[in-house]
Amino acid sequence: GENVEQHPSTLSVQEGDSAVIKCTYSDSASNYFPWYKQELGKGPQLIIDIRSNVGEKKDQRIAVTLNKTAKHFSLHITETQPEDSAVYFCAASAPGNQFYFGTGTSLTVIP
Amino acid sequence: GAVVSQHPSWVICKSGTSVKIECRSLDFQATTMFWYRQFPKQSLMLMATSNEGSKATYEQGVEKDKFLINHASLTLSTLTVTSAHPEDSSFYICSAPPDRERSPLHFGNGTRLTVT
Protein backbone atom coordinates (compact mmCIF):
# COMPACT_ATOMS: atom_id res chain seq x y z
CA GLY A 1 0.00 0.00 0.00
CA GLU A 2 0.85 3.63 -0.12
CA ASN A 3 3.37 4.87 2.39
CA VAL A 4 4.09 8.53 2.95
CA GLU A 5 7.16 9.36 4.97
CA GLN A 6 7.63 12.82 6.40
CA HIS A 7 10.72 14.43 7.89
CA PRO A 8 11.63 15.92 10.23
CA SER A 9 9.16 15.08 12.98
CA THR A 10 10.08 18.24 14.87
CA LEU A 11 11.62 21.46 13.64
CA SER A 12 12.60 24.61 15.47
CA VAL A 13 13.64 27.74 13.62
CA GLN A 14 14.31 31.34 14.55
CA GLU A 15 11.75 33.86 13.48
CA GLY A 16 12.57 35.09 10.00
CA ASP A 17 14.41 31.94 8.99
CA SER A 18 13.12 29.39 6.50
CA ALA A 19 11.60 25.99 7.27
CA VAL A 20 11.62 23.00 4.97
CA ILE A 21 9.60 19.82 5.44
CA LYS A 22 10.09 16.84 3.13
CA CYS A 23 7.86 13.93 2.17
CA THR A 24 8.28 10.85 0.04
CA TYR A 25 5.58 8.60 -1.31
CA SER A 26 5.60 5.16 -2.86
CA ASP A 27 2.56 4.93 -5.15
CA SER A 28 3.33 6.28 -8.60
CA ALA A 29 -0.43 6.66 -9.20
CA SER A 30 -0.66 9.50 -6.67
CA ASN A 31 -1.24 12.68 -8.61
CA TYR A 32 -2.26 15.29 -6.04
CA PHE A 33 -0.37 16.42 -2.95
CA PRO A 34 -1.95 18.78 -0.40
CA TRP A 35 -0.28 20.18 2.68
CA TYR A 36 -2.22 20.82 5.87
CA LYS A 37 -1.55 22.95 8.92
CA GLN A 38 -3.05 21.79 12.19
CA GLU A 39 -3.16 24.02 15.22
CA LEU A 40 -3.67 22.58 18.67
CA GLY A 41 -7.20 21.30 19.20
CA LYS A 42 -8.31 22.06 15.65
CA GLY A 43 -8.82 20.18 12.43
CA PRO A 44 -6.27 20.30 9.60
CA GLN A 45 -6.46 23.30 7.29
CA LEU A 46 -5.25 23.22 3.71
CA ILE A 47 -2.40 25.66 3.14
CA ILE A 48 -1.15 24.73 -0.31
CA ASP A 49 -1.39 21.91 -2.79
CA ILE A 50 0.29 20.75 -5.96
CA ARG A 51 -0.82 18.56 -8.83
CA SER A 52 1.38 16.09 -10.60
CA ASN A 53 1.68 18.11 -13.78
CA VAL A 54 3.40 20.95 -11.93
CA GLY A 55 6.87 21.04 -10.41
CA GLU A 56 6.53 24.02 -8.14
CA LYS A 57 3.84 26.27 -6.72
CA LYS A 58 4.17 29.35 -4.58
CA ASP A 59 1.72 31.33 -2.47
CA GLN A 60 3.34 34.28 -0.71
CA ARG A 61 5.67 32.83 1.93
CA ILE A 62 4.73 29.23 1.23
CA ALA A 63 5.96 27.10 -1.64
CA VAL A 64 5.76 23.45 -2.54
CA THR A 65 8.00 21.51 -4.91
CA LEU A 66 7.34 18.12 -6.47
CA ASN A 67 9.76 15.67 -8.03
CA LYS A 68 7.61 12.92 -9.51
CA THR A 69 10.56 10.89 -10.70
CA ALA A 70 12.02 10.67 -7.23
CA LYS A 71 8.58 10.67 -5.56
CA HIS A 72 9.56 13.55 -3.33
CA PHE A 73 7.65 16.69 -2.43
CA SER A 74 8.57 19.46 -0.04
CA LEU A 75 7.04 22.39 1.79
CA HIS A 76 9.04 25.59 2.09
CA ILE A 77 8.07 28.39 4.45
CA THR A 78 10.13 31.55 4.20
CA GLU A 79 10.36 34.47 6.66
CA THR A 80 8.77 32.35 9.36
CA GLN A 81 6.61 34.00 11.99
CA PRO A 82 5.51 32.75 15.42
CA GLU A 83 2.00 32.14 14.08
CA ASP A 84 3.47 29.57 11.69
CA SER A 85 4.05 27.33 14.72
CA ALA A 86 1.82 24.27 14.26
CA VAL A 87 1.87 20.69 13.07
CA TYR A 88 2.15 20.26 9.32
CA PHE A 89 0.99 17.18 7.42
CA CYS A 90 1.73 16.21 3.88
CA ALA A 91 -0.63 13.94 1.98
CA ALA A 92 -0.75 12.00 -1.27
CA SER A 93 -3.90 11.14 -3.16
CA ALA A 94 -5.14 7.56 -3.05
CA PRO A 95 -7.97 5.63 -4.68
CA GLY A 96 -11.52 6.30 -3.58
CA ASN A 97 -11.07 10.02 -2.96
CA GLN A 98 -8.92 9.20 0.02
CA PHE A 99 -5.48 10.30 1.06
CA TYR A 100 -2.47 8.86 2.76
CA PHE A 101 -1.04 11.21 5.36
CA GLY A 102 2.47 11.80 6.50
CA THR A 103 3.31 11.46 10.16
CA GLY A 104 3.42 15.19 10.77
CA THR A 105 6.05 17.80 11.57
CA SER A 106 5.78 19.93 14.66
CA LEU A 107 7.17 23.34 13.72
CA THR A 108 8.16 25.82 16.39
CA VAL A 109 9.12 29.34 15.38
CA ILE A 110 11.16 30.99 18.11
CA PRO A 111 10.56 34.74 18.44
CA GLY B 1 -15.19 26.86 -0.23
CA ALA B 2 -16.83 23.84 1.32
CA VAL B 3 -17.42 24.14 5.06
CA VAL B 4 -17.69 21.18 7.39
CA SER B 5 -19.06 21.84 10.86
CA GLN B 6 -18.30 19.35 13.63
CA HIS B 7 -19.86 19.31 17.10
CA PRO B 8 -19.12 19.21 19.89
CA SER B 9 -15.58 20.54 19.86
CA TRP B 10 -14.90 18.80 23.14
CA VAL B 11 -16.75 16.41 25.42
CA ILE B 12 -16.05 14.71 28.72
CA CYS B 13 -18.03 11.60 29.61
CA LYS B 14 -17.98 8.84 32.16
CA SER B 15 -16.99 5.27 31.35
CA GLY B 16 -19.86 3.22 30.06
CA THR B 17 -21.79 6.08 28.56
CA SER B 18 -22.20 6.85 24.87
CA VAL B 19 -21.22 9.99 23.04
CA LYS B 20 -22.46 11.26 19.69
CA ILE B 21 -20.37 13.47 17.42
CA GLU B 22 -22.02 15.28 14.53
CA CYS B 23 -20.49 16.33 11.25
CA ARG B 24 -22.45 18.62 8.94
CA SER B 25 -21.71 19.89 5.48
CA LEU B 26 -22.97 23.47 5.55
CA ASP B 27 -22.97 24.62 1.95
CA PHE B 28 -22.85 21.44 -0.03
CA GLN B 29 -24.19 17.90 -0.04
CA ALA B 30 -21.95 15.00 0.86
CA THR B 31 -22.86 11.44 0.00
CA THR B 32 -19.83 10.21 1.93
CA MET B 33 -17.90 11.41 4.96
CA PHE B 34 -14.61 10.19 6.34
CA TRP B 35 -14.05 9.72 10.07
CA TYR B 36 -10.54 9.87 11.49
CA ARG B 37 -9.01 9.31 14.87
CA GLN B 38 -5.86 11.11 15.93
CA PHE B 39 -3.71 10.23 18.91
CA PRO B 40 -1.45 12.88 20.45
CA LYS B 41 1.45 13.80 18.21
CA GLN B 42 0.39 11.28 15.61
CA SER B 43 -1.10 11.37 12.17
CA LEU B 44 -4.70 10.90 11.12
CA MET B 45 -5.98 7.33 11.13
CA LEU B 46 -8.96 6.63 8.90
CA MET B 47 -11.61 4.79 10.91
CA ALA B 48 -14.51 4.52 8.52
CA THR B 49 -16.37 6.01 5.61
CA SER B 50 -20.02 6.84 6.07
CA ASN B 51 -22.33 6.48 3.11
CA GLU B 52 -25.64 8.28 2.83
CA GLY B 53 -28.46 5.76 2.79
CA SER B 54 -26.30 2.68 3.32
CA LYS B 55 -23.93 1.08 5.77
CA ALA B 56 -20.63 2.59 6.66
CA THR B 57 -17.40 1.03 5.51
CA TYR B 58 -15.01 0.38 8.36
CA GLU B 59 -11.26 0.11 8.18
CA GLN B 60 -9.58 -3.04 9.37
CA GLY B 61 -9.32 -3.23 13.12
CA VAL B 62 -12.07 -0.70 13.87
CA GLU B 63 -14.89 -2.10 16.00
CA LYS B 64 -18.19 -1.53 14.22
CA ASP B 65 -20.25 -2.05 17.36
CA LYS B 66 -18.22 0.45 19.36
CA PHE B 67 -18.05 3.19 16.74
CA LEU B 68 -21.52 3.48 15.25
CA ILE B 69 -21.67 5.60 12.15
CA ASN B 70 -24.84 6.90 10.58
CA HIS B 71 -25.26 9.07 7.51
CA ALA B 72 -28.90 10.05 7.77
CA SER B 73 -28.97 12.79 5.17
CA LEU B 74 -26.84 14.43 2.53
CA THR B 75 -25.65 16.99 5.08
CA LEU B 76 -25.26 15.03 8.31
CA SER B 77 -23.04 12.17 9.41
CA THR B 78 -22.74 11.05 13.03
CA LEU B 79 -20.24 8.98 14.98
CA THR B 80 -21.42 7.45 18.24
CA VAL B 81 -18.84 6.05 20.60
CA THR B 82 -20.77 3.44 22.55
CA SER B 83 -19.95 2.26 26.06
CA ALA B 84 -16.96 4.56 26.11
CA HIS B 85 -13.81 3.63 28.00
CA PRO B 86 -10.74 5.72 28.84
CA GLU B 87 -8.83 4.18 25.94
CA ASP B 88 -11.39 5.72 23.58
CA SER B 89 -10.18 9.16 24.62
CA SER B 90 -8.83 10.78 21.50
CA PHE B 91 -9.30 13.51 18.92
CA TYR B 92 -11.92 12.58 16.31
CA ILE B 93 -12.10 14.44 13.01
CA CYS B 94 -14.54 14.18 10.13
CA SER B 95 -14.00 15.27 6.58
CA ALA B 96 -15.93 15.50 3.39
CA PRO B 97 -14.25 14.03 0.32
CA PRO B 98 -12.93 16.19 -2.50
CA ASP B 99 -15.63 17.66 -4.68
CA ARG B 100 -13.63 16.87 -7.80
CA GLU B 101 -10.54 15.01 -8.83
CA ARG B 102 -7.25 16.31 -7.49
CA SER B 103 -8.77 18.60 -4.89
CA PRO B 104 -8.47 18.55 -1.09
CA LEU B 105 -10.45 17.07 1.75
CA HIS B 106 -12.58 19.47 3.77
CA PHE B 107 -12.06 18.82 7.48
CA GLY B 108 -14.22 19.57 10.46
CA ASN B 109 -12.58 21.18 13.47
CA GLY B 110 -12.40 17.95 15.41
CA THR B 111 -13.82 16.69 18.70
CA ARG B 112 -11.68 16.11 21.76
CA LEU B 113 -13.22 13.18 23.66
CA THR B 114 -12.12 12.50 27.22
CA VAL B 115 -13.53 9.47 28.98
CA THR B 116 -13.11 9.46 32.75
Side-chain angles (χ1 to χ4, degrees):
Chain A
E2 174 75 358
N3 184 32
V4 176
E5 295 186 0
Q6 183 172 346
H7 298 281
S9 57
T10 59
L11 179 60
S12 292
V13 298
Q14 292 289 334
E15 182 177 359
D17 288 350
S18 296
V20 180
I21 302 170
K22 299 182 179 181
C23 288
T24 61
Y25 62 100
S26 57
D27 188 350
S28 57
S30 292
N31 58 10
Y32 174 68
F33 307 90
W35 284 88
Y36 292 92
K37 176 183 181 182
Q38 185 178 25
E39 297 179 338
L40 191 63
K42 296 187 178 181
Q45 297 293 313
L46 177 75
I47 55 170
I48 197 167
D49 55 9
I50 192 166
R51 294 175 174 81
S52 58
N53 57 340
V54 175
E56 184 174 358
K57 182 178 179 181
K58 188 174 182 180
D59 182 4
Q60 299 183 345
R61 297 187 296 109
I62 297 173
V64 57
T65 59
L66 171 65
N67 182 330
K68 280 218 72 178
T69 302
K71 297 191 180 68
H72 290 171
F73 58 114
S74 300
L75 177 71
H76 304 253
I77 305 174
T78 59
E79 300 173 35
T80 53
Q81 301 168 3
E83 51 265 39
D84 294 330
S85 297
V87 178
Y88 292 81
F89 290 98
C90 62
S93 59
N97 279 333
Q98 295 186 10
F99 289 82
Y100 295 99
F101 292 93
T103 47
T105 297
S106 178
L107 173 65
T108 301
V109 179
I110 303 167
Chain B
V3 178
V4 175
S5 177
Q6 185 173 344
H7 293 280
S9 56
W10 60 271
V11 58
I12 301 173
C13 71
K14 293 184 178 180
S15 289
T17 62
S18 296
V19 173
K20 180 184 284 187
I21 302 169
E22 293 188 347
C23 184
R24 294 180 184 271
S25 55
L26 297 187
D27 52 358
F28 65 101
Q29 294 181 331
T31 56
T32 61
M33 284 283 196
F34 300 131
W35 286 94
Y36 298 87
R37 182 173 181 175
Q38 187 178 33
F39 292 101
K41 298 185 179 181
Q42 294 192 25
S43 190
L44 302 164
M45 181 189 76
L46 180 66
M47 298 174 64
T49 302
S50 70
N51 304 294
E52 189 269 336
S54 64
K55 292 182 178 181
T57 305
Y58 289 82
E59 296 299 305
Q60 191 172 8
V62 177
E63 297 178 62
K64 301 178 182 181
D65 294 334
K66 166 162 280 294
F67 300 102
L68 299 180
I69 289 175
N70 182 269
H71 199 130
S73 74
L74 289 172
T75 59
L76 175 63
S77 176
T78 60
L79 166 66
T80 301
V81 183
T82 63
S83 187
H85 291 284
E87 56 265 32
D88 299 325
S89 299
S90 194
F91 194 58
Y92 294 88
I93 310 172
C94 66
S95 79
D99 49 15
R100 60 187 183 281
E101 190 177 351
R102 297 199 292 177
S103 63
L105 295 167
H106 308 291
F107 286 98
N109 252 342
T111 298
R112 168 70 59 194
L113 170 63
T114 302
V115 184
T116 60

